[in-house]
Amino acid sequence: MESEKLYEITAYTENQVGLLSSVAGIFTRRSINIEKLLVYPSKIEGIHKFKILARTTEKNARAVVLQMEKRVDVVKAFYQEDNERSFMEIVSVGRFLKERENKQ
Amino acid sequence: MTDTPNGWMLKGSQILLESLINQGVDTIFGYPGGSIMPVYDALYDYADRLRHILVRHEQGAIHAAQGYARVKNFPGTVIVTSGPGATNVITGVADAMIDSTPVVVIAGQVASAALGTDAFQETDLIGMTTPISKWAYQIRRPKDIAWAVARAYYIAASGRPGPVVLDFTKDAQIGMAEYIRKDCNFIRSYVPVPEPTEASLAEAAAMIDSARKPFVVYGHGIILSGAEKELAGFLDKGDIPAGSTMLGLSALDSDNPHYTGMLGMHGSLASNVLTQECDLLIAVGMRFDDRVTGTISTYAKQAKVIHIDIDASEIGKNIPVDLGILGDAREVLAELTRRIKPDVKRDWDGEKAACDAVEKEKVIDPEVSPAEGLIKPGEVIAAVANACEGKAIVVTDVGQNQLFASRYSRFKQSRSMITSGGLGTMGFGLPAAIGAKVAAPERPVCLFVGDGGIQMTIQELGTIMQDGIGVKVILLNNNWLGNVRQWQELFFDGRYSFTRMQNPDYEKLAEAYGITCLSLEDRAEMPAAIAQMLADDRPFILNVHVAEADNVFPMIPPGKSVGEIMLNDKDWFVYGK
């Protein structure tokens, strides 16, 4: 039995109504609990980004990524081990501080 | 109709029909209702360009569209109303998804202002069909219709085909917009046909050249990519035997010398034994379904595996592979054929012939040429196949009829086996046969169906009657749900729980629909009965009373390896023993 780890799964998508449930459905079907989910505009104009943290096997993480990419409106999807869990928070806080700095 | 600088001002419903015609649609399977009435009103004026076949239940519409698409190599089109009309097509949408069948479903929806209010016949069709469709989209504005329809047909038919659902609000059907013709052959987020890498092709050619016992397992992908000739050429040049999945049947001529028969649970002995004996397994356009692999942990463990598929998510999904090649089966096979060496010496040494001899004695002869007793289903299928000389389109329902038909039909032409493989939808057969016949009126269409499955969609006899669709229905009537009965006999201690079925009088039923029906019990009368059935192009029901307790063999029981095969109630063939 392959061991479960925390994976960070990201997807870059077109901005389409209903895509969230379509992406979530891929996790539901394999009984993978989403621990964290963030959807926001990516740095590429018109492209949205899903950031999902989930505990699962690498085989499942890979399968989920490929099935996400299979959706017509998903541009690309990736997975990686989540070694830096607070990365998002750090970036987010960092950005916040920077904005504050600029306003000073 | 008012001219505008770029097109015409039309109602949404008219834009839909113009857009369908622009995509090359000429046939619609449908059923009207409240939320789709504006489209039906417009259809009244398009009867010369769009043939509408009125089914008797929406499930019939989508299965007919599936049969049509599979034969015609063009998306089937379904128009239904909202609510129950839409939910009634869901089984077919799921079936089309798992069997990679291009269909476009256009369903009415309540007016956009009423969405989310539990309006009459409102249902969240997009929510329900997103997980089981390739694309599901709600059209809420007339100006989006031409775009959505173009995109729908492109997505349904391209790459790995599948079903698309368009949920069409009533206000978008009624509203006016400028109609500008739209076509679609590019979506930036969607790569339907990935390019195989040079490295993967080179490595595959080297692996094939050095293999002593290569074996090809192929599936529906051969037919979907039009790779029939390329597959035959590849097998010829490489001198490689090949077995087919159920959905791959008819891609190769049944008499092709490399062909070893169907794979899997009820496949040929040779195909399953060669799977366990080969040193290189080359899978093309197939997805290692559990009905093909048996227990995965013992499947072709001795072999290296090359998997060629258009869908990246299939590679490594069920079977670990040594090499995956992403790409279109036709292109990849053509390229591999060019690269592999000719006249490579293989070590295959009569394995297929030995398996075939065992199978003939233990399985085929008792089923197809019994000396006495009631008519057997395999016997009927072989007799029909002989009479049609392998030229008919074979449609099946699901269950023993399907398994016998897969085993004993003969094929000379591709796109000639229409069956519900992945979902295994009972009730698929009769409407799918209607669609197949509409797609190829010049060819005989023979439906093999059981007494259980035919009653699931028997209302479509009305469609056959009204449109005079010349489907030949061969009813393998054994008064049981035969496949479940077989499992109950073999694996559930003969506890026949609710599988005995009392049948209606099919002759009277057929008469009510004005369809000729002949009942057959005596083997001696079978050739004449089949000849009578095939004598003209009218609908016909051949009600064959077959042996009640016949089982489909060979059988790899659930939980067993593909090398552990039941030949009949007593005898087993165990690979390596």
Side-chain angles (χ1 to χ4, degrees):
Chain A
M1 187 67 194
E2 217 186 327
S3 68
E4 293 198 340
K5 288 178 189 149
L6 205 54
Y7 284 94
E8 182 185 287
I9 291 163
T10 49
Y12 293 81
T13 74
E14 300 289 357
N15 185 14
Q16 278 284 350
V17 175
L19 203 54
L20 175 59
S21 75
S22 150
V23 165
I26 294 169
F27 287 79
T28 309
R29 213 176 144 192
R30 288 179 179 267
S31 290
I32 302 171
N33 190 25
I34 292 177
E35 309 215 351
K36 237 183 234 180
L37 168 72
L38 200 54
V39 188
Y40 54 101
S42 79
K43 285 175 184 165
I44 306 156
E45 203 185 324
I47 297 291
H48 273 234
K49 184 172 179 181
F50 284 67
K51 214 168 199 185
I52 299 165
L53 272 186
R55 187 172 297 283
T56 186
T57 62
E58 181 170 9
K59 186 170 189 274
N60 261 340
R62 182 178 171 275
V64 160
V65 159
L66 289 171
Q67 282 180 331
M68 280 161 81
E69 275 192 355
K70 205 167 144 174
R71 301 305 307 185
V72 167
D73 293 312
V74 175
V75 181
K76 274 261 161 228
F78 307 91
Y79 73 95
Q80 61 181 43
E81 269 184 57
D82 179 53
N83 293 323
E84 183 54 87
R85 256 203 262 183
S86 55
F87 180 67
M88 276 191 290
E89 286 88 339
I90 290 169
V91 170
S92 163
V93 174
R95 194 178 290 151
F96 177 76
L97 290 175
K98 198 156 193 176
E99 281 170 12
R100 297 302 294 171
E101 237 170 62
N102 292 342
K103 281 192 177 170
Q104 234 176 10
Chain B
M1 195 186 282
T2 320
D3 288 343
T4 64
N6 300 311
W8 312 274
M9 289 302 289
L10 294 178
K11 280 186 192 162
S13 53
Q14 294 169 311
I15 295 176
L16 173 78
L17 300 181
E18 290 289 342
S19 301
L20 292 179
I21 291 167
N22 184 45
Q23 291 301 315
V25 174
D26 60 12
T27 306
I28 294 164
F29 300 93
Y31 205 101
S35 294
I36 197 72
M37 280 189 69
V39 169
Y40 271 83
D41 185 59
L43 205 47
Y44 197 68
D45 297 324
Y46 282 77
D48 55 334
R49 280 169 288 169
L50 290 167
R51 178 181 183 191
H52 179 278
I53 292 170
L54 177 67
V55 295
R56 294 300 183 268
H57 183 287
E58 290 89 350
Q59 188 184 354
I62 186 145
H63 292 328
Q66 290 177 273
Y68 177 90
R70 298 262 290 268
V71 170
K72 190 97 171 175
N73 191 17
F74 184 82
T77 303
V78 175
I79 299 184
V80 295
T81 193
S82 65
T87 55
N88 279 346
V89 301
I90 281 186
T91 301
V93 174
D95 192 293
M97 185 68 173
I98 199 162
D99 279 353
S100 309
T101 307
V103 289
V104 175
V105 174
I106 297 140
Q109 180 56 284
V110 301
S112 50
L115 284 168
T117 66
D118 299 328
F120 179 64
Q121 294 191 330
E122 186 202 356
T123 189
D124 177 11
L125 185 63
I126 298 295
M128 281 188 271
T129 55
T130 292
I132 52 166
S133 65
K134 205 170 161 189
W135 190 53
Y137 185 79
Q138 189 171 64
I139 306 173
R140 292 183 220 92
R141 300 180 302 188
K143 66 176 183 175
D144 296 335
I145 298 167
W147 169 85
V149 169
R151 212 171 133 105
Y153 280 82
Y154 172 59
I155 291 171
S158 58
R160 180 176 180 176
V164 168
V165 175
L166 294 176
D167 193 34
F168 193 12
T169 65
K170 199 166 182 179
D171 50 324
Q173 298 170 40
I174 294 166
M176 302 289 287
E178 184 184 36
Y179 171 59
I180 303 164
R181 264 177 30 175
K182 287 263 170 39
D183 290 297
C184 178
N185 56 19
F186 177 82
I187 296 169
R188 72 173 175 176
S189 57
Y190 169 62
V191 185
V193 185
E195 284 294 312
T197 63
E198 169 57 32
S200 67
L201 292 167
E203 192 183 343
M207 287 168 79
I208 294 164
D209 285 342
S210 61
R212 308 307 301 177
K213 290 188 169 184
F215 181 49
V216 165
V217 292
Y218 66 88
H220 201 190
I222 298 294
I223 295 169
L224 294 171
S225 72
E228 294 91 346
K229 280 200 182 80
E230 286 74 11
L231 174 65
F234 175 71
L235 301 176
D236 276 342
K237 187 172 177 189
D239 189 20
I240 306 173
S244 175
T245 68
M246 185 180 278
L247 267 79
L249 291 175
S250 83
L252 276 188
D253 189 315
S254 306
D255 294 324
N256 185 302
H258 303 289
Y259 182 56
T260 61
M262 187 169 73
L263 297 156
M265 185 174 267
H266 295 284
S268 71
L269 206 54
S271 285
N272 289 315
V273 166
L274 266 56
T275 300
Q276 298 303 73
E277 173 73 20
C278 66
D279 64 350
L280 177 64
L281 191 74
I282 307 158
V284 196
M286 56 87 76
R287 57 183 179 81
F288 292 111
D289 181 87
D290 56 81
R291 287 300 192 262
V292 163
T293 62
T295 300
I296 279 189
S297 58
T298 55
Y299 180 79
K301 275 289 159 222
Q302 78 294 344
K304 290 208 160 129
V305 178
I306 299 175
H307 191 178
I308 301 162
D309 206 280
I310 201 164
D311 178 352
S313 73
E314 289 299 347
I315 293 176
K317 183 184 80 177
N318 292 341
I319 297 288
V321 299
D322 297 279
L323 175 65
I325 304 181
L326 265 181
D328 175 75
R330 188 160 71 121
E331 286 170 29
V332 173
L333 285 173
E335 188 54 31
L336 288 178
T337 306
R338 200 179 64 70
R339 291 178 186 228
I340 59 175
K341 290 186 192 138
D343 308 318
V344 171
K345 170 87 183 76
R346 306 294 186 193
D347 287 351
W348 288 119
D349 184 24
E351 290 88 343
K352 174 183 181 299
C355 288
D356 287 352
V358 172
E359 187 173 338
K360 184 170 187 308
E361 185 203 332
K362 294 282 188 188
V363 183
I364 298 173
D365 285 348
E367 179 65 33
V368 171
S369 325
E372 51 188 14
L374 290 167
I375 297 176
K376 292 199 165 196
E379 187 181 0
V380 180
I381 285 148
V384 172
N386 280 338
C388 294
E389 298 169 334
K391 287 173 189 153
I393 294 171
V394 174
V395 183
T396 82
D397 205 73
V398 164
Q400 288 186 321
N401 60 85
Q402 172 186 41
L403 304 167
F404 281 122
S406 302
R407 289 186 45 76
Y408 298 113
S409 293
R410 315 283 300 162
F411 301 104
K412 290 267 160 220
Q413 193 178 330
S414 184
R415 294 189 176 274
S416 296
M417 174 64 172
I418 311 303
T419 191
S420 165
L423 201 66
T425 305
M426 279 177 71
F428 174 86
L430 187 62
I434 291 172
K437 186 66 183 173
V438 169
E442 72 289 356
R443 293 185 65 191
V445 171
C446 294
L447 165 68
F448 295 101
V449 59
D451 45 307
I454 197 170
Q455 292 188 72
M456 281 202 178
T457 47
I458 201 161
Q459 75 284 347
E460 299 309 329
L461 290 175
T463 309
I464 289 175
M465 169 181 69
Q466 184 164 352
D467 284 70
I469 298 166
V471 169
K472 309 299 181 182
V473 179
I474 299 115
L475 177 60
L476 301 170
N477 187 349
N478 65 354
N479 301 303
W480 286 93
L481 298 172
N483 208 27
V484 179
R485 195 212 66 83
Q486 173 170 347
W487 283 51
Q488 286 172 337
E489 179 189 331
L490 298 176
F491 313 121
F492 291 87
D493 302 326
R495 290 156 54 85
Y496 299 115
S497 181
F498 303 103
T499 40
R500 181 84 189 160
M501 186 172 260
Q502 188 178 349
N503 273 293
D505 181 332
Y506 287 107
E507 285 186 33
K508 282 190 184 157
L509 194 67
E511 191 188 348
Y513 283 105
I515 298 171
T516 311
C517 176
L518 186 66
S519 291
L520 178 66
E521 284 184 51
D522 183 354
R523 160 169 305 116
E525 291 166 10
M526 189 158 70
I530 291 172
Q532 183 189 338
M533 173 178 78
L534 296 172
D536 59 33
D537 206 34
R538 286 200 295 261
F540 193 100
I541 299 174
L542 185 61
N543 176 29
V544 192
H545 294 279
V546 293
E548 291 209 345
D550 200 32
N551 291 335
V552 189
F553 290 112
M555 180 177 196
I556 297 162
K560 297 286 186 190
S561 137
V562 291
E564 298 170 272
I565 304 165
M566 291 177 82
L567 296 172
N568 53 45
D569 296 341
K570 304 178 292 291
D571 299 321
W572 285 72
F573 180 98
V574 181
Y575 173 74
K577 282 194 182 159

